[in-house]
Amino acid sequence: MDTARRRPIELIAIDMDGTLLDPGHKISPRVKQAIHTAIARGVRVVLASGRPVAGLLPYLAELGIAGNDEYCIAFNGAIVQNLGTGERVVEFTLGIEEYRYCAAIAREVGVHFQGLDGERMYTPDLDISPYTVADSFLTHTPLSYRAVADMPEGMRFPKMMMIDQPEILDAAIARLPAGFAERFTSLKSSASFLDIFDGRAGKGPSLKRLADRLGIHRDSIMALGDHENDIAMLEFAGTSVAMGNAIPAVKQAARYETATNAEDGVARAIEMFVLQS
């Protein structure tokens, strides 16, 4: 890796699944040590994930990232939250009409569907997808079945998702109506998840808003990711790093590539671009 750059890294934005977390959904000792050392040197570490805030909190606690001067980017950037005060400095949500519309489209194209309101995960599917159950468990988000007609008015959703086996989901995405892309931003966060959110959100735009708030130039930001929903964040950051296990589009978007999430790729990138500088 060529480490030549104009500015030192002041902020590291790290995706969670497939990036920070190893295949067993753990933070490896080497990755944890690299992050702790970077923080000790005054570098901010911001977790940027498609997960809800609740799905980030155990890992933030493990890394010791807390307090009124720390933030996380959740729901693919639909929420940026101050970890000390709970203030949402960015909040873009979709309403119940969008939920009903997307649930109907999911049924039409033949995939499962779920929506997250910040507290719970809701699905209108009687045959609840095993991917939905797994997502609820991994992100520490309570899961409820509720018919679309029974969803209360006034509900707001930072993120909705179409989920299914990868080949079924890809076929469904190809059948989405033309107006869908104009109404929402939709990006795959894994082979089985299509995340749907307000077009003003996204990890890239919300990282920019947070950087502006903190007074940090983009050239002083390093971002690491592995999937489609990370691309905008990588394109914004001055130092962009794709994981070795990243999809080809991410590797093309990033300037650098590190090892896989099974090989301490995050630690290797931090050691190269932050700790050895």
PDB file of all heavy atoms in Angstrom, residues 185-221:
ATOM      1  N   THR A 185     -33.642   5.269  -1.938  1.00  0.00           N
ATOM      2  CA  THR A 185     -32.313   4.712  -2.183  1.00  0.00           C
ATOM      3  C   THR A 185     -32.344   3.265  -1.718  1.00  0.00           C
ATOM      4  O   THR A 185     -32.808   2.976  -0.611  1.00  0.00           O
ATOM      5  CB  THR A 185     -31.238   5.484  -1.419  1.00  0.00           C
ATOM      6  OG1 THR A 185     -31.141   6.806  -1.954  1.00  0.00           O
ATOM      7  CG2 THR A 185     -29.875   4.809  -1.559  1.00  0.00           C
ATOM      8  N   SER A 186     -31.879   2.363  -2.554  1.00  0.00           N
ATOM      9  CA  SER A 186     -31.824   0.951  -2.161  1.00  0.00           C
ATOM     10  C   SER A 186     -30.462   0.392  -2.541  1.00  0.00           C
ATOM     11  O   SER A 186     -30.013   0.540  -3.671  1.00  0.00           O
ATOM     12  CB  SER A 186     -32.947   0.148  -2.830  1.00  0.00           C
ATOM     13  OG  SER A 186     -32.866   0.214  -4.237  1.00  0.00           O
ATOM     14  N   LEU A 187     -29.811  -0.224  -1.551  1.00  0.00           N
ATOM     15  CA  LEU A 187     -28.469  -0.765  -1.728  1.00  0.00           C
ATOM     16  C   LEU A 187     -28.375  -2.088  -0.987  1.00  0.00           C
ATOM     17  O   LEU A 187     -28.933  -2.246   0.103  1.00  0.00           O
ATOM     18  CB  LEU A 187     -27.420   0.195  -1.161  1.00  0.00           C
ATOM     19  CG  LEU A 187     -27.292   1.565  -1.827  1.00  0.00           C
ATOM     20  CD1 LEU A 187     -26.441   2.483  -0.953  1.00  0.00           C
ATOM     21  CD2 LEU A 187     -26.671   1.427  -3.200  1.00  0.00           C
ATOM     22  N   LYS A 188     -27.640  -3.029  -1.543  1.00  0.00           N
ATOM     23  CA  LYS A 188     -27.439  -4.295  -0.858  1.00  0.00           C
ATOM     24  C   LYS A 188     -26.383  -4.121   0.238  1.00  0.00           C
ATOM     25  O   LYS A 188     -25.305  -3.592  -0.011  1.00  0.00           O
ATOM     26  CB  LYS A 188     -27.019  -5.381  -1.846  1.00  0.00           C
ATOM     27  CG  LYS A 188     -28.130  -5.774  -2.815  1.00  0.00           C
ATOM     28  CD  LYS A 188     -27.723  -6.924  -3.714  1.00  0.00           C
ATOM     29  CE  LYS A 188     -27.742  -8.241  -2.969  1.00  0.00           C
ATOM     30  NZ  LYS A 188     -27.459  -9.388  -3.866  1.00  0.00           N
ATOM     31  N   SER A 189     -26.734  -4.581   1.441  1.00  0.00           N
ATOM     32  CA  SER A 189     -25.778  -4.572   2.543  1.00  0.00           C
ATOM     33  C   SER A 189     -25.166  -5.950   2.741  1.00  0.00           C
ATOM     34  O   SER A 189     -24.191  -6.098   3.483  1.00  0.00           O
ATOM     35  CB  SER A 189     -26.449  -4.113   3.839  1.00  0.00           C
ATOM     36  OG  SER A 189     -27.562  -4.935   4.155  1.00  0.00           O
ATOM     37  N   SER A 190     -25.743  -6.944   2.101  1.00  0.00           N
ATOM     38  CA  SER A 190     -25.171  -8.293   2.050  1.00  0.00           C
ATOM     39  C   SER A 190     -25.844  -8.997   0.881  1.00  0.00           C
ATOM     40  O   SER A 190     -26.736  -8.443   0.231  1.00  0.00           O
ATOM     41  CB  SER A 190     -25.419  -9.074   3.349  1.00  0.00           C
ATOM     42  OG  SER A 190     -26.741  -9.556   3.404  1.00  0.00           O
ATOM     43  N   ALA A 191     -25.434 -10.214   0.613  1.00  0.00           N
ATOM     44  CA  ALA A 191     -26.006 -10.949  -0.512  1.00  0.00           C
ATOM     45  C   ALA A 191     -27.503 -11.181  -0.348  1.00  0.00           C
ATOM     46  O   ALA A 191     -28.220 -11.327  -1.348  1.00  0.00           O
ATOM     47  CB  ALA A 191     -25.289 -12.286  -0.683  1.00  0.00           C
ATOM     48  N   SER A 192     -27.989 -11.166   0.894  1.00  0.00           N
ATOM     49  CA  SER A 192     -29.392 -11.496   1.160  1.00  0.00           C
ATOM     50  C   SER A 192     -30.239 -10.306   1.596  1.00  0.00           C
ATOM     51  O   SER A 192     -31.436 -10.469   1.833  1.00  0.00           O
ATOM     52  CB  SER A 192     -29.471 -12.582   2.252  1.00  0.00           C
ATOM     53  OG  SER A 192     -28.826 -13.754   1.846  1.00  0.00           O
ATOM     54  N   PHE A 193     -29.652  -9.120   1.712  1.00  0.00           N
ATOM     55  CA  PHE A 193     -30.364  -7.951   2.231  1.00  0.00           C
ATOM     56  C   PHE A 193     -30.318  -6.789   1.233  1.00  0.00           C
ATOM     57  O   PHE A 193     -29.233  -6.356   0.829  1.00  0.00           O
ATOM     58  CB  PHE A 193     -29.739  -7.462   3.538  1.00  0.00           C
ATOM     59  CG  PHE A 193     -29.844  -8.426   4.690  1.00  0.00           C
ATOM     60  CD1 PHE A 193     -28.919  -8.374   5.717  1.00  0.00           C
ATOM     61  CD2 PHE A 193     -30.845  -9.376   4.754  1.00  0.00           C
ATOM     62  CE1 PHE A 193     -28.998  -9.250   6.793  1.00  0.00           C
ATOM     63  CE2 PHE A 193     -30.944 -10.258   5.819  1.00  0.00           C
ATOM     64  CZ  PHE A 193     -30.020 -10.192   6.850  1.00  0.00           C
ATOM     65  N   LEU A 194     -31.494  -6.270   0.871  1.00  0.00           N
ATOM     66  CA  LEU A 194     -31.583  -5.018   0.128  1.00  0.00           C
ATOM     67  C   LEU A 194     -32.121  -3.973   1.097  1.00  0.00           C
ATOM     68  O   LEU A 194     -33.285  -4.036   1.525  1.00  0.00           O
ATOM     69  CB  LEU A 194     -32.518  -5.148  -1.078  1.00  0.00           C
ATOM     70  CG  LEU A 194     -32.669  -3.853  -1.896  1.00  0.00           C
ATOM     71  CD1 LEU A 194     -31.383  -3.533  -2.664  1.00  0.00           C
ATOM     72  CD2 LEU A 194     -33.858  -3.938  -2.860  1.00  0.00           C
ATOM     73  N   ASP A 195     -31.291  -3.007   1.465  1.00  0.00           N
ATOM     74  CA  ASP A 195     -31.685  -1.956   2.393  1.00  0.00           C
ATOM     75  C   ASP A 195     -32.349  -0.822   1.621  1.00  0.00           C
ATOM     76  O   ASP A 195     -31.859  -0.397   0.570  1.00  0.00           O
ATOM     77  CB  ASP A 195     -30.466  -1.413   3.132  1.00  0.00           C
ATOM     78  CG  ASP A 195     -29.829  -2.443   4.052  1.00  0.00           C
ATOM     79  OD1 ASP A 195     -30.332  -3.583   4.105  1.00  0.00           O
ATOM     80  OD2 ASP A 195     -28.833  -2.100   4.719  1.00  0.00           O
ATOM     81  N   ILE A 196     -33.445  -0.308   2.170  1.00  0.00           N
ATOM     82  CA  ILE A 196     -34.235   0.747   1.525  1.00  0.00           C
ATOM     83  C   ILE A 196     -34.338   1.908   2.502  1.00  0.00           C
ATOM     84  O   ILE A 196     -34.743   1.719   3.658  1.00  0.00           O
ATOM     85  CB  ILE A 196     -35.645   0.221   1.175  1.00  0.00           C
ATOM     86  CG1 ILE A 196     -35.555  -1.030   0.287  1.00  0.00           C
ATOM     87  CG2 ILE A 196     -36.483   1.303   0.502  1.00  0.00           C
ATOM     88  CD1 ILE A 196     -36.815  -1.867   0.271  1.00  0.00           C
ATOM     89  N   PHE A 197     -33.981   3.116   2.055  1.00  0.00           N
ATOM     90  CA  PHE A 197     -33.999   4.246   2.979  1.00  0.00           C
ATOM     91  C   PHE A 197     -34.179   5.553   2.219  1.00  0.00           C
ATOM     92  O   PHE A 197     -34.159   5.593   0.983  1.00  0.00           O
ATOM     93  CB  PHE A 197     -32.737   4.284   3.840  1.00  0.00           C
ATOM     94  CG  PHE A 197     -31.436   4.090   3.086  1.00  0.00           C
ATOM     95  CD1 PHE A 197     -30.702   5.173   2.648  1.00  0.00           C
ATOM     96  CD2 PHE A 197     -30.949   2.817   2.817  1.00  0.00           C
ATOM     97  CE1 PHE A 197     -29.508   5.009   1.966  1.00  0.00           C
ATOM     98  CE2 PHE A 197     -29.756   2.627   2.140  1.00  0.00           C
ATOM     99  CZ  PHE A 197     -29.030   3.726   1.709  1.00  0.00           C
ATOM    100  N   ASP A 198     -34.378   6.620   2.958  1.00  0.00           N
ATOM    101  CA  ASP A 198     -34.557   7.962   2.406  1.00  0.00           C
ATOM    102  C   ASP A 198     -33.337   8.332   1.567  1.00  0.00           C
ATOM    103  O   ASP A 198     -32.200   8.128   1.985  1.00  0.00           O
ATOM    104  CB  ASP A 198     -34.731   8.954   3.560  1.00  0.00           C
ATOM    105  CG  ASP A 198     -35.074  10.356   3.104  1.00  0.00           C
ATOM    106  OD1 ASP A 198     -34.261  10.981   2.392  1.00  0.00           O
ATOM    107  OD2 ASP A 198     -36.163  10.835   3.468  1.00  0.00           O
ATOM    108  N   GLY A 199     -33.581   8.906   0.393  1.00  0.00           N
ATOM    109  CA  GLY A 199     -32.497   9.240  -0.523  1.00  0.00           C
ATOM    110  C   GLY A 199     -31.513  10.251   0.010  1.00  0.00           C
ATOM    111  O   GLY A 199     -30.392  10.358  -0.500  1.00  0.00           O
ATOM    112  N   ARG A 200     -31.869  10.991   1.044  1.00  0.00           N
ATOM    113  CA  ARG A 200     -30.946  11.962   1.635  1.00  0.00           C
ATOM    114  C   ARG A 200     -29.942  11.293   2.572  1.00  0.00           C
ATOM    115  O   ARG A 200     -28.953  11.912   2.953  1.00  0.00           O
ATOM    116  CB  ARG A 200     -31.718  13.029   2.406  1.00  0.00           C
ATOM    117  CG  ARG A 200     -32.596  13.913   1.554  1.00  0.00           C
ATOM    118  CD  ARG A 200     -33.517  14.758   2.408  1.00  0.00           C
ATOM    119  NE  ARG A 200     -34.482  13.933   3.141  1.00  0.00           N
ATOM    120  CZ  ARG A 200     -35.364  14.402   4.018  1.00  0.00           C
ATOM    121  NH1 ARG A 200     -35.377  15.704   4.309  1.00  0.00           N
ATOM    122  NH2 ARG A 200     -36.226  13.593   4.623  1.00  0.00           N
ATOM    123  N   ALA A 201     -30.220  10.057   2.954  1.00  0.00           N
ATOM    124  CA  ALA A 201     -29.339   9.330   3.868  1.00  0.00           C
ATOM    125  C   ALA A 201     -28.224   8.651   3.074  1.00  0.00           C
ATOM    126  O   ALA A 201     -27.936   8.994   1.933  1.00  0.00           O
ATOM    127  CB  ALA A 201     -30.152   8.326   4.684  1.00  0.00           C
ATOM    128  N   GLY A 202     -27.601   7.663   3.689  1.00  0.00           N
ATOM    129  CA  GLY A 202     -26.455   6.987   3.091  1.00  0.00           C
ATOM    130  C   GLY A 202     -25.229   7.205   3.948  1.00  0.00           C
ATOM    131  O   GLY A 202     -25.061   8.249   4.581  1.00  0.00           O
ATOM    132  N   LYS A 203     -24.350   6.217   3.984  1.00  0.00           N
ATOM    133  CA  LYS A 203     -23.148   6.337   4.810  1.00  0.00           C
ATOM    134  C   LYS A 203     -22.254   7.483   4.343  1.00  0.00           C
ATOM    135  O   LYS A 203     -21.647   8.173   5.166  1.00  0.00           O
ATOM    136  CB  LYS A 203     -22.360   5.027   4.792  1.00  0.00           C
ATOM    137  CG  LYS A 203     -23.046   3.859   5.475  1.00  0.00           C
ATOM    138  CD  LYS A 203     -22.113   2.663   5.539  1.00  0.00           C
ATOM    139  CE  LYS A 203     -22.781   1.449   6.131  1.00  0.00           C
ATOM    140  NZ  LYS A 203     -21.862   0.298   6.250  1.00  0.00           N
ATOM    141  N   GLY A 204     -22.160   7.688   3.041  1.00  0.00           N
ATOM    142  CA  GLY A 204     -21.324   8.763   2.530  1.00  0.00           C
ATOM    143  C   GLY A 204     -21.833  10.139   2.905  1.00  0.00           C
ATOM    144  O   GLY A 204     -21.109  10.938   3.531  1.00  0.00           O
ATOM    145  N   PRO A 205     -23.094  10.478   2.556  1.00  0.00           N
ATOM    146  CA  PRO A 205     -23.631  11.791   2.930  1.00  0.00           C
ATOM    147  C   PRO A 205     -23.622  12.045   4.437  1.00  0.00           C
ATOM    148  O   PRO A 205     -23.332  13.163   4.881  1.00  0.00           O
ATOM    149  CB  PRO A 205     -25.061  11.751   2.380  1.00  0.00           C
ATOM    150  CG  PRO A 205     -25.001  10.789   1.246  1.00  0.00           C
ATOM    151  CD  PRO A 205     -24.011   9.736   1.673  1.00  0.00           C
ATOM    152  N   SER A 206     -23.930  11.016   5.234  1.00  0.00           N
ATOM    153  CA  SER A 206     -23.968  11.233   6.680  1.00  0.00           C
ATOM    154  C   SER A 206     -22.569  11.338   7.273  1.00  0.00           C
ATOM    155  O   SER A 206     -22.364  12.068   8.249  1.00  0.00           O
ATOM    156  CB  SER A 206     -24.768  10.112   7.353  1.00  0.00           C
ATOM    157  OG  SER A 206     -26.151  10.300   7.058  1.00  0.00           O
ATOM    158  N   LEU A 207     -21.602  10.642   6.710  1.00  0.00           N
ATOM    159  CA  LEU A 207     -20.224  10.829   7.148  1.00  0.00           C
ATOM    160  C   LEU A 207     -19.771  12.250   6.847  1.00  0.00           C
ATOM    161  O   LEU A 207     -19.084  12.881   7.664  1.00  0.00           O
ATOM    162  CB  LEU A 207     -19.307   9.818   6.466  1.00  0.00           C
ATOM    163  CG  LEU A 207     -17.815   9.922   6.796  1.00  0.00           C
ATOM    164  CD1 LEU A 207     -17.566   9.787   8.293  1.00  0.00           C
ATOM    165  CD2 LEU A 207     -17.028   8.866   6.029  1.00  0.00           C
ATOM    166  N   LYS A 208     -20.177  12.780   5.700  1.00  0.00           N
ATOM    167  CA  LYS A 208     -19.831  14.167   5.371  1.00  0.00           C
ATOM    168  C   LYS A 208     -20.463  15.131   6.373  1.00  0.00           C
ATOM    169  O   LYS A 208     -19.798  16.072   6.844  1.00  0.00           O
ATOM    170  CB  LYS A 208     -20.295  14.514   3.959  1.00  0.00           C
ATOM    171  CG  LYS A 208     -19.964  15.956   3.559  1.00  0.00           C
ATOM    172  CD  LYS A 208     -20.481  16.304   2.188  1.00  0.00           C
ATOM    173  CE  LYS A 208     -20.022  17.701   1.769  1.00  0.00           C
ATOM    174  NZ  LYS A 208     -20.410  18.758   2.750  1.00  0.00           N
ATOM    175  N   ARG A 209     -21.739  14.918   6.710  1.00  0.00           N
ATOM    176  CA  ARG A 209     -22.403  15.799   7.674  1.00  0.00           C
ATOM    177  C   ARG A 209     -21.707  15.743   9.028  1.00  0.00           C
ATOM    178  O   ARG A 209     -21.534  16.773   9.691  1.00  0.00           O
ATOM    179  CB  ARG A 209     -23.878  15.407   7.805  1.00  0.00           C
ATOM    180  CG  ARG A 209     -24.702  15.692   6.551  1.00  0.00           C
ATOM    181  CD  ARG A 209     -26.176  15.346   6.778  1.00  0.00           C
ATOM    182  NE  ARG A 209     -26.957  15.589   5.569  1.00  0.00           N
ATOM    183  CZ  ARG A 209     -27.277  14.646   4.673  1.00  0.00           C
ATOM    184  NH1 ARG A 209     -26.884  13.390   4.869  1.00  0.00           N
ATOM    185  NH2 ARG A 209     -27.979  14.951   3.598  1.00  0.00           N
ATOM    186  N   LEU A 210     -21.308  14.542   9.443  1.00  0.00           N
ATOM    187  CA  LEU A 210     -20.621  14.417  10.722  1.00  0.00           C
ATOM    188  C   LEU A 210     -19.247  15.080  10.663  1.00  0.00           C
ATOM    189  O   LEU A 210     -18.844  15.781  11.600  1.00  0.00           O
ATOM    190  CB  LEU A 210     -20.480  12.942  11.095  1.00  0.00           C
ATOM    191  CG  LEU A 210     -19.742  12.651  12.407  1.00  0.00           C
ATOM    192  CD1 LEU A 210     -20.428  13.320  13.588  1.00  0.00           C
ATOM    193  CD2 LEU A 210     -19.621  11.147  12.636  1.00  0.00           C
ATOM    194  N   ALA A 211     -18.522  14.892   9.568  1.00  0.00           N
ATOM    195  CA  ALA A 211     -17.203  15.511   9.421  1.00  0.00           C
ATOM    196  C   ALA A 211     -17.313  17.036   9.457  1.00  0.00           C
ATOM    197  O   ALA A 211     -16.494  17.712  10.083  1.00  0.00           O
ATOM    198  CB  ALA A 211     -16.555  15.053   8.117  1.00  0.00           C
ATOM    199  N   ASP A 212     -18.334  17.568   8.799  1.00  0.00           N
ATOM    200  CA  ASP A 212     -18.549  19.021   8.824  1.00  0.00           C
ATOM    201  C   ASP A 212     -18.820  19.491  10.254  1.00  0.00           C
ATOM    202  O   ASP A 212     -18.321  20.547  10.680  1.00  0.00           O
ATOM    203  CB  ASP A 212     -19.711  19.405   7.919  1.00  0.00           C
ATOM    204  CG  ASP A 212     -19.392  19.256   6.440  1.00  0.00           C
ATOM    205  OD1 ASP A 212     -18.197  19.139   6.091  1.00  0.00           O
ATOM    206  OD2 ASP A 212     -20.341  19.235   5.621  1.00  0.00           O
ATOM    207  N   ARG A 213     -19.607  18.736  10.988  1.00  0.00           N
ATOM    208  CA  ARG A 213     -19.940  19.098  12.368  1.00  0.00           C
ATOM    209  C   ARG A 213     -18.683  19.105  13.239  1.00  0.00           C
ATOM    210  O   ARG A 213     -18.519  19.966  14.115  1.00  0.00           O
ATOM    211  CB  ARG A 213     -20.968  18.106  12.919  1.00  0.00           C
ATOM    212  CG  ARG A 213     -21.397  18.356  14.362  1.00  0.00           C
ATOM    213  CD  ARG A 213     -22.348  17.262  14.832  1.00  0.00           C
ATOM    214  NE  ARG A 213     -22.791  17.457  16.198  1.00  0.00           N
ATOM    215  CZ  ARG A 213     -23.889  18.121  16.564  1.00  0.00           C
ATOM    216  NH1 ARG A 213     -24.649  18.672  15.630  1.00  0.00           N
ATOM    217  NH2 ARG A 213     -24.230  18.251  17.829  1.00  0.00           N
ATOM    218  N   LEU A 214     -17.791  18.160  12.983  1.00  0.00           N
ATOM    219  CA  LEU A 214     -16.579  18.014  13.790  1.00  0.00           C
ATOM    220  C   LEU A 214     -15.415  18.856  13.271  1.00  0.00           C
ATOM    221  O   LEU A 214     -14.367  18.925  13.911  1.00  0.00           O
ATOM    222  CB  LEU A 214     -16.158  16.544  13.833  1.00  0.00           C
ATOM    223  CG  LEU A 214     -17.167  15.576  14.470  1.00  0.00           C
ATOM    224  CD1 LEU A 214     -16.708  14.133  14.294  1.00  0.00           C
ATOM    225  CD2 LEU A 214     -17.379  15.902  15.941  1.00  0.00           C
ATOM    226  N   GLY A 215     -15.589  19.456  12.094  1.00  0.00           N
ATOM    227  CA  GLY A 215     -14.523  20.260  11.514  1.00  0.00           C
ATOM    228  C   GLY A 215     -13.359  19.437  10.997  1.00  0.00           C
ATOM    229  O   GLY A 215     -12.205  19.866  11.068  1.00  0.00           O
ATOM    230  N   ILE A 216     -13.653  18.258  10.454  1.00  0.00           N
ATOM    231  CA  ILE A 216     -12.618  17.365   9.937  1.00  0.00           C
ATOM    232  C   ILE A 216     -12.692  17.318   8.417  1.00  0.00           C
ATOM    233  O   ILE A 216     -13.750  17.049   7.840  1.00  0.00           O
ATOM    234  CB  ILE A 216     -12.777  15.942  10.516  1.00  0.00           C
ATOM    235  CG1 ILE A 216     -12.603  15.984  12.042  1.00  0.00           C
ATOM    236  CG2 ILE A 216     -11.771  14.977   9.895  1.00  0.00           C
ATOM    237  CD1 ILE A 216     -12.851  14.651  12.724  1.00  0.00           C
ATOM    238  N   HIS A 217     -11.581  17.573   7.774  1.00  0.00           N
ATOM    239  CA  HIS A 217     -11.519  17.554   6.314  1.00  0.00           C
ATOM    240  C   HIS A 217     -11.578  16.118   5.804  1.00  0.00           C
ATOM    241  O   HIS A 217     -11.043  15.192   6.443  1.00  0.00           O
ATOM    242  CB  HIS A 217     -10.228  18.230   5.848  1.00  0.00           C
ATOM    243  CG  HIS A 217     -10.202  18.551   4.386  1.00  0.00           C
ATOM    244  ND1 HIS A 217      -9.879  17.605   3.421  1.00  0.00           N
ATOM    245  CD2 HIS A 217     -10.449  19.706   3.721  1.00  0.00           C
ATOM    246  CE1 HIS A 217      -9.935  18.167   2.228  1.00  0.00           C
ATOM    247  NE2 HIS A 217     -10.277  19.435   2.376  1.00  0.00           N
ATOM    248  N   ARG A 218     -12.182  15.914   4.664  1.00  0.00           N
ATOM    249  CA  ARG A 218     -12.315  14.559   4.117  1.00  0.00           C
ATOM    250  C   ARG A 218     -10.969  13.887   3.878  1.00  0.00           C
ATOM    251  O   ARG A 218     -10.848  12.667   3.976  1.00  0.00           O
ATOM    252  CB  ARG A 218     -13.117  14.591   2.814  1.00  0.00           C
ATOM    253  CG  ARG A 218     -12.447  15.387   1.697  1.00  0.00           C
ATOM    254  CD  ARG A 218     -13.359  15.536   0.492  1.00  0.00           C
ATOM    255  NE  ARG A 218     -13.633  14.249  -0.141  1.00  0.00           N
ATOM    256  CZ  ARG A 218     -14.403  14.122  -1.229  1.00  0.00           C
ATOM    257  NH1 ARG A 218     -14.956  15.190  -1.785  1.00  0.00           N
ATOM    258  NH2 ARG A 218     -14.599  12.928  -1.749  1.00  0.00           N
ATOM    259  N   ASP A 219      -9.937  14.679   3.589  1.00  0.00           N
ATOM    260  CA  ASP A 219      -8.614  14.096   3.381  1.00  0.00           C
ATOM    261  C   ASP A 219      -8.012  13.526   4.662  1.00  0.00           C
ATOM    262  O   ASP A 219      -7.016  12.806   4.611  1.00  0.00           O
ATOM    263  CB  ASP A 219      -7.656  15.144   2.796  1.00  0.00           C
ATOM    264  CG  ASP A 219      -7.960  15.452   1.342  1.00  0.00           C
ATOM    265  OD1 ASP A 219      -8.728  14.688   0.720  1.00  0.00           O
ATOM    266  OD2 ASP A 219      -7.430  16.455   0.832  1.00  0.00           O
ATOM    267  N   SER A 220      -8.616  13.862   5.807  1.00  0.00           N
ATOM    268  CA  SER A 220      -8.150  13.334   7.091  1.00  0.00           C
ATOM    269  C   SER A 220      -9.023  12.181   7.582  1.00  0.00           C
ATOM    270  O   SER A 220      -8.974  11.819   8.755  1.00  0.00           O
ATOM    271  CB  SER A 220      -8.124  14.452   8.143  1.00  0.00           C
ATOM    272  OG  SER A 220      -7.176  15.438   7.796  1.00  0.00           O
ATOM    273  N   ILE A 221      -9.826  11.614   6.669  1.00  0.00           N
ATOM    274  CA  ILE A 221     -10.725  10.517   7.021  1.00  0.00           C
ATOM    275  C   ILE A 221     -10.310   9.252   6.278  1.00  0.00           C
ATOM    276  O   ILE A 221     -10.033   9.285   5.081  1.00  0.00           O
ATOM    277  CB  ILE A 221     -12.187  10.866   6.674  1.00  0.00           C
ATOM    278  CG1 ILE A 221     -12.657  12.060   7.512  1.00  0.00           C
ATOM    279  CG2 ILE A 221     -13.103   9.663   6.884  1.00  0.00           C
ATOM    280  CD1 ILE A 221     -14.035  12.558   7.144  1.00  0.00           C
TER     281      ILE A 221
END
